[in-house]
PDB file of all heavy atoms in Angstrom:
ATOM      1  N   ASN A  22     137.697  56.385  91.863  1.00 95.00           N
ATOM      2  CA  ASN A  22     138.769  56.945  92.719  1.00 95.00           C
ATOM      3  C   ASN A  22     138.769  56.346  94.209  1.00 95.00           C
ATOM      4  O   ASN A  22     139.292  56.854  95.116  1.00 95.00           O
ATOM      5  CB  ASN A  22     138.649  58.432  92.824  1.00 95.00           C
ATOM      6  CG  ASN A  22     137.366  58.935  93.456  1.00 95.00           C
ATOM      7  OD1 ASN A  22     136.459  58.206  93.655  1.00 95.00           O
ATOM      8  ND2 ASN A  22     137.346  60.229  93.827  1.00 95.00           N
ATOM      9  N   ARG A  23     138.096  55.220  94.347  1.00 96.00           N
ATOM     10  CA  ARG A  23     138.013  54.606  95.676  1.00 96.00           C
ATOM     11  C   ARG A  23     139.115  53.547  95.813  1.00 96.00           C
ATOM     12  O   ARG A  23     139.220  52.664  94.905  1.00 96.00           O
ATOM     13  CB  ARG A  23     136.649  53.964  95.836  1.00 96.00           C
ATOM     14  CG  ARG A  23     135.511  54.843  96.087  1.00 96.00           C
ATOM     15  CD  ARG A  23     135.683  55.557  97.433  1.00 96.00           C
ATOM     16  NE  ARG A  23     134.543  56.383  97.732  1.00 96.00           N
ATOM     17  CZ  ARG A  23     134.380  57.691  97.274  1.00 96.00           C
ATOM     18  NH1 ARG A  23     135.258  58.195  96.475  1.00 96.00           N
ATOM     19  NH2 ARG A  23     133.298  58.362  97.602  1.00 96.00           N
ATOM     20  N   ARG A  30     135.746  48.947 103.727  1.00 97.00           N
ATOM     21  CA  ARG A  30     135.148  49.626 105.037  1.00 97.00           C
ATOM     22  C   ARG A  30     133.871  50.209 104.875  1.00 97.00           C
ATOM     23  O   ARG A  30     132.877  50.017 105.567  1.00 97.00           O
ATOM     24  CB  ARG A  30     136.148  50.597 105.597  1.00 97.00           C
ATOM     25  CG  ARG A  30     137.453  49.952 106.223  1.00 97.00           C
ATOM     26  CD  ARG A  30     138.332  51.085 106.774  1.00 97.00           C
ATOM     27  NE  ARG A  30     137.603  51.841 107.790  1.00 97.00           N
ATOM     28  CZ  ARG A  30     137.648  51.417 109.081  1.00 97.00           C
ATOM     29  NH1 ARG A  30     138.218  50.300 109.414  1.00 97.00           N
ATOM     30  NH2 ARG A  30     136.990  52.183 109.914  1.00 97.00           N
ATOM     31  N   LYS A  39     141.954  48.162 108.481  1.00 98.00           N
ATOM     32  CA  LYS A  39     142.018  49.415 109.201  1.00 98.00           C
ATOM     33  C   LYS A  39     142.811  50.489 108.306  1.00 98.00           C
ATOM     34  O   LYS A  39     143.754  50.133 107.665  1.00 98.00           O
ATOM     35  CB  LYS A  39     142.841  49.240 110.455  1.00 98.00           C
ATOM     36  CG  LYS A  39     142.349  48.219 111.489  1.00 98.00           C
ATOM     37  CD  LYS A  39     140.951  48.635 111.981  1.00 98.00           C
ATOM     38  CE  LYS A  39     140.473  47.559 112.951  1.00 98.00           C
ATOM     39  NZ  LYS A  39     139.018  47.842 113.194  1.00 98.00           N
ATOM     40  N   TYR A  40     142.431  51.729 108.564  1.00 97.00           N
ATOM     41  CA  TYR A  40     143.231  52.873 108.018  1.00 97.00           C
ATOM     42  C   TYR A  40     144.190  53.204 109.108  1.00 97.00           C
ATOM     43  O   TYR A  40     143.898  53.558 110.223  1.00 97.00           O
ATOM     44  CB  TYR A  40     142.340  54.049 107.810  1.00 97.00           C
ATOM     45  CG  TYR A  40     143.062  55.374 107.481  1.00 97.00           C
ATOM     46  CD1 TYR A  40     143.488  55.730 106.197  1.00 97.00           C
ATOM     47  CD2 TYR A  40     143.405  56.185 108.529  1.00 97.00           C
ATOM     48  CE1 TYR A  40     144.108  56.931 106.018  1.00 97.00           C
ATOM     49  CE2 TYR A  40     144.067  57.358 108.331  1.00 97.00           C
ATOM     50  CZ  TYR A  40     144.553  57.696 107.089  1.00 97.00           C
ATOM     51  OH  TYR A  40     145.168  58.821 106.839  1.00 97.00           O
ATOM     52  N   GLY A  41     145.437  53.179 108.733  1.00 97.00           N
ATOM     53  CA  GLY A  41     146.484  53.590 109.690  1.00 97.00           C
ATOM     54  C   GLY A  41     147.371  54.825 109.226  1.00 97.00           C
ATOM     55  O   GLY A  41     147.653  55.632 110.007  1.00 97.00           O
ATOM     56  N   GLU A  46     152.627  52.536 104.522  1.00 97.00           N
ATOM     57  CA  GLU A  46     153.749  52.368 105.424  1.00 97.00           C
ATOM     58  C   GLU A  46     153.425  51.422 106.564  1.00 97.00           C
ATOM     59  O   GLU A  46     154.336  50.832 107.095  1.00 97.00           O
ATOM     60  CB  GLU A  46     154.180  53.809 105.954  1.00 97.00           C
ATOM     61  CG  GLU A  46     154.858  54.700 105.004  1.00 97.00           C
ATOM     62  CD  GLU A  46     156.360  54.331 104.770  1.00 97.00           C
ATOM     63  OE1 GLU A  46     156.900  53.508 105.523  1.00 97.00           O
ATOM     64  OE2 GLU A  46     156.885  54.813 103.760  1.00 97.00           O
ATOM     65  N   GLN A  91     145.669  33.320 114.561  1.00 98.00           N
ATOM     66  CA  GLN A  91     145.056  34.195 115.508  1.00 98.00           C
ATOM     67  C   GLN A  91     145.206  33.592 116.949  1.00 98.00           C
ATOM     68  O   GLN A  91     145.454  34.321 117.929  1.00 98.00           O
ATOM     69  CB  GLN A  91     143.579  34.324 115.185  1.00 98.00           C
ATOM     70  CG  GLN A  91     143.402  35.096 113.836  1.00 98.00           C
ATOM     71  CD  GLN A  91     142.026  34.964 113.182  1.00 98.00           C
ATOM     72  OE1 GLN A  91     141.380  33.899 113.237  1.00 98.00           O
ATOM     73  NE2 GLN A  91     141.532  35.990 112.587  1.00 98.00           N
ATOM     74  N   ILE A 100     148.975  40.576 121.330  1.00 98.00           N
ATOM     75  CA  ILE A 100     148.005  41.607 120.968  1.00 98.00           C
ATOM     76  C   ILE A 100     147.856  42.593 122.093  1.00 98.00           C
ATOM     77  O   ILE A 100     147.578  42.115 123.261  1.00 98.00           O
ATOM     78  CB  ILE A 100     146.606  40.973 120.681  1.00 98.00           C
ATOM     79  CG1 ILE A 100     146.782  39.980 119.534  1.00 98.00           C
ATOM     80  CG2 ILE A 100     145.568  42.066 120.335  1.00 98.00           C
ATOM     81  CD1 ILE A 100     145.473  39.115 119.351  1.00 98.00           C
ATOM     82  N   GLN A 101     148.059  43.861 121.862  1.00 98.00           N
ATOM     83  CA  GLN A 101     147.793  44.891 122.902  1.00 98.00           C
ATOM     84  C   GLN A 101     146.621  45.735 122.453  1.00 98.00           C
ATOM     85  O   GLN A 101     145.503  45.451 122.568  1.00 98.00           O
ATOM     86  CB  GLN A 101     149.070  45.602 123.236  1.00 98.00           C
ATOM     87  CG  GLN A 101     150.083  44.824 124.061  1.00 98.00           C
ATOM     88  CD  GLN A 101     151.121  45.611 124.721  1.00 98.00           C
ATOM     89  OE1 GLN A 101     151.003  46.726 125.061  1.00 98.00           O
ATOM     90  NE2 GLN A 101     152.308  44.987 124.831  1.00 98.00           N
ATOM     91  N   CYS A 102     146.947  46.905 121.764  1.00 98.00           N
ATOM     92  CA  CYS A 102     145.809  47.724 121.372  1.00 98.00           C
ATOM     93  C   CYS A 102     144.976  47.034 120.282  1.00 98.00           C
ATOM     94  O   CYS A 102     143.874  47.365 120.099  1.00 98.00           O
ATOM     95  CB  CYS A 102     146.265  49.164 121.068  1.00 98.00           C
ATOM     96  SG  CYS A 102     146.693  49.359 119.318  1.00 98.00           S
ATOM     97  N   GLY A 103     145.654  46.177 119.557  1.00 98.00           N
ATOM     98  CA  GLY A 103     144.906  45.395 118.530  1.00 98.00           C
ATOM     99  C   GLY A 103     144.731  46.038 117.208  1.00 98.00           C
ATOM    100  O   GLY A 103     144.201  45.405 116.227  1.00 98.00           O
ATOM    101  N   TYR A 104     145.154  47.307 117.031  1.00 98.00           N
ATOM    102  CA  TYR A 104     144.833  47.998 115.741  1.00 98.00           C
ATOM    103  C   TYR A 104     145.664  47.365 114.629  1.00 98.00           C
ATOM    104  O   TYR A 104     145.214  47.361 113.459  1.00 98.00           O
ATOM    105  CB  TYR A 104     145.103  49.465 115.927  1.00 98.00           C
ATOM    106  CG  TYR A 104     144.365  50.337 114.960  1.00 98.00           C
ATOM    107  CD1 TYR A 104     143.053  50.633 115.137  1.00 98.00           C
ATOM    108  CD2 TYR A 104     144.997  50.901 113.857  1.00 98.00           C
ATOM    109  CE1 TYR A 104     142.305  51.447 114.230  1.00 98.00           C
ATOM    110  CE2 TYR A 104     144.286  51.663 112.988  1.00 98.00           C
ATOM    111  CZ  TYR A 104     142.947  51.937 113.097  1.00 98.00           C
ATOM    112  OH  TYR A 104     142.342  52.765 112.194  1.00 98.00           O
ATOM    113  N   ARG A 129     161.270  38.533 111.109  1.00 98.00           N
ATOM    114  CA  ARG A 129     161.398  39.982 111.323  1.00 98.00           C
ATOM    115  C   ARG A 129     161.386  40.742 110.025  1.00 98.00           C
ATOM    116  O   ARG A 129     160.899  41.855 109.882  1.00 98.00           O
ATOM    117  CB  ARG A 129     162.564  40.305 112.167  1.00 98.00           C
ATOM    118  CG  ARG A 129     162.401  39.886 113.663  1.00 98.00           C
ATOM    119  CD  ARG A 129     163.625  40.059 114.487  1.00 98.00           C
ATOM    120  NE  ARG A 129     163.403  39.656 115.850  1.00 98.00           N
ATOM    121  CZ  ARG A 129     162.899  40.352 116.824  1.00 98.00           C
ATOM    122  NH1 ARG A 129     162.562  41.594 116.659  1.00 98.00           N
ATOM    123  NH2 ARG A 129     162.631  39.877 118.084  1.00 98.00           N
ATOM    124  N   GLU A 133     158.401  43.620 108.515  1.00 97.00           N
ATOM    125  CA  GLU A 133     158.583  45.017 108.123  1.00 97.00           C
ATOM    126  C   GLU A 133     157.459  45.480 107.217  1.00 97.00           C
ATOM    127  O   GLU A 133     157.112  44.726 106.310  1.00 97.00           O
ATOM    128  CB  GLU A 133     159.925  45.251 107.411  1.00 97.00           C
ATOM    129  CG  GLU A 133     161.224  45.113 108.237  1.00 97.00           C
ATOM    130  CD  GLU A 133     161.312  46.246 109.247  1.00 97.00           C
ATOM    131  OE1 GLU A 133     160.525  47.204 109.271  1.00 97.00           O
ATOM    132  OE2 GLU A 133     162.237  46.171 110.109  1.00 97.00           O
ATOM    133  N   ARG A 138     153.103  49.682 117.676  1.00 98.00           N
ATOM    134  CA  ARG A 138     153.785  50.669 118.539  1.00 98.00           C
ATOM    135  C   ARG A 138     153.678  50.136 120.017  1.00 98.00           C
ATOM    136  O   ARG A 138     154.170  50.764 120.925  1.00 98.00           O
ATOM    137  CB  ARG A 138     153.049  51.946 118.449  1.00 98.00           C
ATOM    138  CG  ARG A 138     153.697  53.159 119.146  1.00 98.00           C
ATOM    139  CD  ARG A 138     155.207  53.311 118.798  1.00 98.00           C
ATOM    140  NE  ARG A 138     155.575  54.718 118.962  1.00 98.00           N
ATOM    141  CZ  ARG A 138     156.857  55.133 118.954  1.00 98.00           C
ATOM    142  NH1 ARG A 138     157.820  54.239 118.681  1.00 98.00           N
ATOM    143  NH2 ARG A 138     157.167  56.387 119.129  1.00 98.00           N
ATOM    144  N   CYS A 139     152.957  48.922 120.253  1.00 98.00           N
ATOM    145  CA  CYS A 139     152.705  48.475 121.600  1.00 98.00           C
ATOM    146  C   CYS A 139     153.735  47.483 122.069  1.00 98.00           C
ATOM    147  O   CYS A 139     154.100  47.552 123.240  1.00 98.00           O
ATOM    148  CB  CYS A 139     151.317  47.818 121.744  1.00 98.00           C
ATOM    149  SG  CYS A 139     149.972  49.043 121.473  1.00 98.00           S
ATOM    150  N   GLU A 143     158.467  41.800 120.187  1.00 98.00           N
ATOM    151  CA  GLU A 143     158.981  40.503 120.743  1.00 98.00           C
ATOM    152  C   GLU A 143     157.921  39.416 120.718  1.00 98.00           C
ATOM    153  O   GLU A 143     158.223  38.334 120.294  1.00 98.00           O
ATOM    154  CB  GLU A 143     159.464  40.915 122.141  1.00 98.00           C
ATOM    155  CG  GLU A 143     160.248  39.790 122.822  1.00 98.00           C
ATOM    156  CD  GLU A 143     161.628  39.719 122.230  1.00 98.00           C
ATOM    157  OE1 GLU A 143     162.117  40.482 121.376  1.00 98.00           O
ATOM    158  OE2 GLU A 143     162.325  38.659 122.610  1.00 98.00           O
ATOM    159  N   LYS A 144     156.795  39.706 121.275  1.00 98.00           N
ATOM    160  CA  LYS A 144     155.813  38.619 121.366  1.00 98.00           C
ATOM    161  C   LYS A 144     155.167  38.354 120.030  1.00 98.00           C
ATOM    162  O   LYS A 144     154.609  37.184 119.812  1.00 98.00           O
ATOM    163  CB  LYS A 144     154.717  38.988 122.413  1.00 98.00           C
ATOM    164  CG  LYS A 144     155.349  39.091 123.829  1.00 98.00           C
ATOM    165  CD  LYS A 144     154.355  39.047 124.951  1.00 98.00           C
ATOM    166  CE  LYS A 144     154.959  39.299 126.339  1.00 98.00           C
ATOM    167  NZ  LYS A 144     156.113  38.462 126.722  1.00 98.00           N
TER     168      LYS A 144
ATOM    169  N   LYS C  19     139.914  41.374 118.750  1.00 97.00           N
ATOM    170  CA  LYS C  19     140.938  42.031 118.081  1.00 97.00           C
ATOM    171  C   LYS C  19     141.659  41.171 117.069  1.00 97.00           C
ATOM    172  O   LYS C  19     142.070  41.602 115.969  1.00 97.00           O
ATOM    173  CB  LYS C  19     142.040  42.544 119.103  1.00 97.00           C
ATOM    174  CG  LYS C  19     141.526  43.763 119.869  1.00 97.00           C
ATOM    175  CD  LYS C  19     142.468  44.190 121.013  1.00 97.00           C
ATOM    176  CE  LYS C  19     141.912  45.522 121.679  1.00 97.00           C
ATOM    177  NZ  LYS C  19     142.814  45.924 122.863  1.00 97.00           N
ATOM    178  N   ALA C  20     141.756  39.822 117.342  1.00 96.00           N
ATOM    179  CA  ALA C  20     142.439  38.975 116.448  1.00 96.00           C
ATOM    180  C   ALA C  20     141.587  38.802 115.197  1.00 96.00           C
ATOM    181  O   ALA C  20     142.134  38.585 114.091  1.00 96.00           O
ATOM    182  CB  ALA C  20     142.644  37.647 117.080  1.00 96.00           C
ATOM    183  N   TYR C  26     136.674  50.136 116.899  1.00 98.00           N
ATOM    184  CA  TYR C  26     137.274  51.446 117.239  1.00 98.00           C
ATOM    185  C   TYR C  26     136.364  52.513 116.778  1.00 98.00           C
ATOM    186  O   TYR C  26     135.450  52.290 115.939  1.00 98.00           O
ATOM    187  CB  TYR C  26     138.674  51.483 116.488  1.00 98.00           C
ATOM    188  CG  TYR C  26     139.599  50.409 116.965  1.00 98.00           C
ATOM    189  CD1 TYR C  26     139.519  49.165 116.297  1.00 98.00           C
ATOM    190  CD2 TYR C  26     140.512  50.587 117.916  1.00 98.00           C
ATOM    191  CE1 TYR C  26     140.349  48.129 116.689  1.00 98.00           C
ATOM    192  CE2 TYR C  26     141.357  49.518 118.380  1.00 98.00           C
ATOM    193  CZ  TYR C  26     141.250  48.282 117.718  1.00 98.00           C
ATOM    194  OH  TYR C  26     142.083  47.197 118.118  1.00 98.00           O
ATOM    195  N   ALA C  28     136.369  54.820 114.496  1.00 97.00           N
ATOM    196  CA  ALA C  28     136.144  54.930 113.055  1.00 97.00           C
ATOM    197  C   ALA C  28     135.351  53.866 112.527  1.00 97.00           C
ATOM    198  O   ALA C  28     134.798  53.932 111.360  1.00 97.00           O
ATOM    199  CB  ALA C  28     137.492  55.018 112.379  1.00 97.00           C
ATOM    200  N   ASP C  29     135.239  52.736 113.266  1.00 97.00           N
ATOM    201  CA  ASP C  29     134.523  51.639 112.695  1.00 97.00           C
ATOM    202  C   ASP C  29     133.043  51.665 112.971  1.00 97.00           C
ATOM    203  O   ASP C  29     132.242  50.886 112.492  1.00 97.00           O
ATOM    204  CB  ASP C  29     134.991  50.287 113.331  1.00 97.00           C
ATOM    205  CG  ASP C  29     136.510  50.054 113.121  1.00 97.00           C
ATOM    206  OD1 ASP C  29     137.058  50.651 112.105  1.00 97.00           O
ATOM    207  OD2 ASP C  29     137.156  49.382 113.973  1.00 97.00           O
ATOM    208  N   GLU C 125     133.755  62.436 101.236  1.00 93.00           N
ATOM    209  CA  GLU C 125     134.271  63.083 100.041  1.00 93.00           C
ATOM    210  C   GLU C 125     133.628  64.445  99.862  1.00 93.00           C
ATOM    211  O   GLU C 125     134.386  65.397  99.536  1.00 93.00           O
ATOM    212  CB  GLU C 125     133.923  62.214  98.820  1.00 93.00           C
ATOM    213  CG  GLU C 125     134.541  62.672  97.504  1.00 93.00           C
ATOM    214  CD  GLU C 125     134.319  61.766  96.372  1.00 93.00           C
ATOM    215  OE1 GLU C 125     133.440  60.887  96.412  1.00 93.00           O
ATOM    216  OE2 GLU C 125     135.116  61.867  95.390  1.00 93.00           O
ATOM    217  N   LYS C 206     157.025  61.544 118.996  1.00 98.00           N
ATOM    218  CA  LYS C 206     155.602  61.374 118.723  1.00 98.00           C
ATOM    219  C   LYS C 206     155.102  60.004 119.216  1.00 98.00           C
ATOM    220  O   LYS C 206     155.773  59.020 119.062  1.00 98.00           O
ATOM    221  CB  LYS C 206     155.291  61.526 117.236  1.00 98.00           C
ATOM    222  CG  LYS C 206     153.858  61.655 116.863  1.00 98.00           C
ATOM    223  CD  LYS C 206     153.261  62.938 117.352  1.00 98.00           C
ATOM    224  CE  LYS C 206     151.821  62.872 117.614  1.00 98.00           C
ATOM    225  NZ  LYS C 206     151.347  63.807 118.674  1.00 98.00           N
ATOM    226  N   GLN C 207     153.892  60.002 119.803  1.00 98.00           N
ATOM    227  CA  GLN C 207     153.415  58.696 120.354  1.00 98.00           C
ATOM    228  C   GLN C 207     153.243  57.704 119.252  1.00 98.00           C
ATOM    229  O   GLN C 207     153.413  56.502 119.429  1.00 98.00           O
ATOM    230  CB  GLN C 207     151.968  58.926 120.979  1.00 98.00           C
ATOM    231  CG  GLN C 207     152.109  59.748 122.292  1.00 98.00           C
ATOM    232  CD  GLN C 207     151.955  61.268 121.975  1.00 98.00           C
ATOM    233  OE1 GLN C 207     151.986  61.681 120.761  1.00 98.00           O
ATOM    234  NE2 GLN C 207     151.762  62.111 122.978  1.00 98.00           N
ATOM    235  N   ARG C 293     146.410  60.484 109.051  1.00 96.00           N
ATOM    236  CA  ARG C 293     147.597  60.263 109.817  1.00 96.00           C
ATOM    237  C   ARG C 293     148.524  61.516 109.982  1.00 96.00           C
ATOM    238  O   ARG C 293     148.844  61.913 111.116  1.00 96.00           O
ATOM    239  CB  ARG C 293     148.464  59.145 109.207  1.00 96.00           C
ATOM    240  CG  ARG C 293     149.849  58.945 109.863  1.00 96.00           C
ATOM    241  CD  ARG C 293     149.822  58.589 111.352  1.00 96.00           C
ATOM    242  NE  ARG C 293     149.149  57.394 111.583  1.00 96.00           N
ATOM    243  CZ  ARG C 293     148.935  56.954 112.791  1.00 96.00           C
ATOM    244  NH1 ARG C 293     149.374  57.533 113.925  1.00 96.00           N
ATOM    245  NH2 ARG C 293     148.263  55.798 113.026  1.00 96.00           N
ATOM    246  N   TYR C 375     153.163  62.322 127.112  1.00 97.00           N
ATOM    247  CA  TYR C 375     153.645  61.147 126.396  1.00 97.00           C
ATOM    248  C   TYR C 375     154.339  60.234 127.326  1.00 97.00           C
ATOM    249  O   TYR C 375     155.229  60.691 128.164  1.00 97.00           O
ATOM    250  CB  TYR C 375     154.642  61.613 125.281  1.00 97.00           C
ATOM    251  CG  TYR C 375     155.174  60.440 124.447  1.00 97.00           C
ATOM    252  CD1 TYR C 375     155.902  60.701 123.287  1.00 97.00           C
ATOM    253  CD2 TYR C 375     154.927  59.145 124.737  1.00 97.00           C
ATOM    254  CE1 TYR C 375     156.392  59.675 122.503  1.00 97.00           C
ATOM    255  CE2 TYR C 375     155.431  58.151 124.009  1.00 97.00           C
ATOM    256  CZ  TYR C 375     156.134  58.401 122.810  1.00 97.00           C
ATOM    257  OH  TYR C 375     156.602  57.314 122.054  1.00 97.00           O
ATOM    258  N   GLY C 501     144.870  48.943 125.832  1.00 94.00           N
ATOM    259  CA  GLY C 501     145.434  47.803 125.084  1.00 94.00           C
ATOM    260  C   GLY C 501     146.501  47.148 125.942  1.00 94.00           C
ATOM    261  O   GLY C 501     147.039  46.165 125.584  1.00 94.00           O
ATOM    262  N   GLU C 675     155.324  41.970 130.962  1.00 98.00           N
ATOM    263  CA  GLU C 675     156.428  41.884 129.937  1.00 98.00           C
ATOM    264  C   GLU C 675     156.112  42.660 128.685  1.00 98.00           C
ATOM    265  O   GLU C 675     156.909  43.420 128.134  1.00 98.00           O
ATOM    266  CB  GLU C 675     156.606  40.371 129.526  1.00 98.00           C
ATOM    267  CG  GLU C 675     157.252  39.545 130.510  1.00 98.00           C
ATOM    268  CD  GLU C 675     157.098  38.007 130.198  1.00 98.00           C
ATOM    269  OE1 GLU C 675     156.741  37.720 129.052  1.00 98.00           O
ATOM    270  OE2 GLU C 675     157.347  37.235 131.053  1.00 98.00           O
ATOM    271  N   GLY C 680     157.410  46.780 124.952  1.00 98.00           N
ATOM    272  CA  GLY C 680     156.924  47.840 124.060  1.00 98.00           C
ATOM    273  C   GLY C 680     157.634  49.170 124.466  1.00 98.00           C
ATOM    274  O   GLY C 680     157.888  49.977 123.610  1.00 98.00           O
ATOM    275  N   GLN C 683     160.979  49.667 122.770  1.00 98.00           N
ATOM    276  CA  GLN C 683     160.890  50.078 121.293  1.00 98.00           C
ATOM    277  C   GLN C 683     160.796  51.626 121.340  1.00 98.00           C
ATOM    278  O   GLN C 683     161.428  52.268 120.505  1.00 98.00           O
ATOM    279  CB  GLN C 683     159.707  49.406 120.650  1.00 98.00           C
ATOM    280  CG  GLN C 683     159.658  49.646 119.166  1.00 98.00           C
ATOM    281  CD  GLN C 683     158.718  50.810 118.665  1.00 98.00           C
ATOM    282  OE1 GLN C 683     158.066  51.459 119.506  1.00 98.00           O
ATOM    283  NE2 GLN C 683     158.695  50.986 117.368  1.00 98.00           N
ATOM    284  N   GLN C 684     160.043  52.215 122.283  1.00 98.00           N
ATOM    285  CA  GLN C 684     159.841  53.645 122.249  1.00 98.00           C
ATOM    286  C   GLN C 684     161.129  54.320 122.850  1.00 98.00           C
ATOM    287  O   GLN C 684     161.461  55.444 122.411  1.00 98.00           O
ATOM    288  CB  GLN C 684     158.584  54.007 123.006  1.00 98.00           C
ATOM    289  CG  GLN C 684     157.369  53.355 122.326  1.00 98.00           C
ATOM    290  CD  GLN C 684     156.018  53.861 122.999  1.00 98.00           C
ATOM    291  OE1 GLN C 684     155.969  54.734 123.827  1.00 98.00           O
ATOM    292  NE2 GLN C 684     154.901  53.249 122.493  1.00 98.00           N
ATOM    293  N   GLU C 692     164.093  58.843 116.798  1.00 98.00           N
ATOM    294  CA  GLU C 692     162.807  59.555 116.583  1.00 98.00           C
ATOM    295  C   GLU C 692     162.937  61.031 116.966  1.00 98.00           C
ATOM    296  O   GLU C 692     163.399  61.348 117.999  1.00 98.00           O
ATOM    297  CB  GLU C 692     161.736  58.909 117.446  1.00 98.00           C
ATOM    298  CG  GLU C 692     161.391  57.457 117.008  1.00 98.00           C
ATOM    299  CD  GLU C 692     160.354  56.865 117.917  1.00 98.00           C
ATOM    300  OE1 GLU C 692     159.474  57.623 118.387  1.00 98.00           O
ATOM    301  OE2 GLU C 692     160.327  55.654 118.107  1.00 98.00           O
ATOM    302  N   THR C 708     156.846  57.524 106.696  1.00 96.00           N
ATOM    303  CA  THR C 708     157.871  57.556 105.643  1.00 96.00           C
ATOM    304  C   THR C 708     159.061  58.395 106.221  1.00 96.00           C
ATOM    305  O   THR C 708     160.253  58.039 105.944  1.00 96.00           O
ATOM    306  CB  THR C 708     157.434  58.195 104.417  1.00 96.00           C
ATOM    307  OG1 THR C 708     156.147  57.541 103.967  1.00 96.00           O
ATOM    308  CG2 THR C 708     158.411  57.976 103.213  1.00 96.00           C
ATOM    309  N   PRO C 715     160.541  45.767 113.328  1.00 98.00           N
ATOM    310  CA  PRO C 715     160.813  44.410 113.824  1.00 98.00           C
ATOM    311  C   PRO C 715     162.253  43.993 113.589  1.00 98.00           C
ATOM    312  O   PRO C 715     162.838  43.318 114.428  1.00 98.00           O
ATOM    313  CB  PRO C 715     159.814  43.515 113.098  1.00 98.00           C
ATOM    314  CG  PRO C 715     159.147  44.317 112.023  1.00 98.00           C
ATOM    315  CD  PRO C 715     159.336  45.814 112.427  1.00 98.00           C
ATOM    316  N   SER C 716     162.887  44.406 112.451  1.00 98.00           N
ATOM    317  CA  SER C 716     164.192  43.903 112.206  1.00 98.00           C
ATOM    318  C   SER C 716     165.250  44.783 112.772  1.00 98.00           C
ATOM    319  O   SER C 716     166.448  44.579 112.706  1.00 98.00           O
ATOM    320  CB  SER C 716     164.447  43.708 110.720  1.00 98.00           C
ATOM    321  OG  SER C 716     164.401  44.931 110.022  1.00 98.00           O
TER     322      SER C 716
END
Side-chain angles (χ1 to χ4, degrees):
Chain A
N22 66 347
R23 286 293 186 276
R30 287 181 60 84
K39 305 294 184 196
Y40 167 90
E46 288 281 347
Q91 293 161 323
I100 303 173
Q101 288 192 32
C102 89
Y104 203 77
R129 288 178 183 273
E133 288 291 354
R138 190 56 156 170
C139 296
E143 191 69 11
K144 296 198 188 304
Chain C
K19 287 175 173 175
Y26 301 82
D29 302 334
E125 186 173 18
K206 191 70 208 151
Q207 294 87 350
R293 170 60 61 182
Y375 182 170
E675 287 166 12
Q683 192 261 2
Q684 298 185 9
E692 296 182 30
T708 311
S716 64

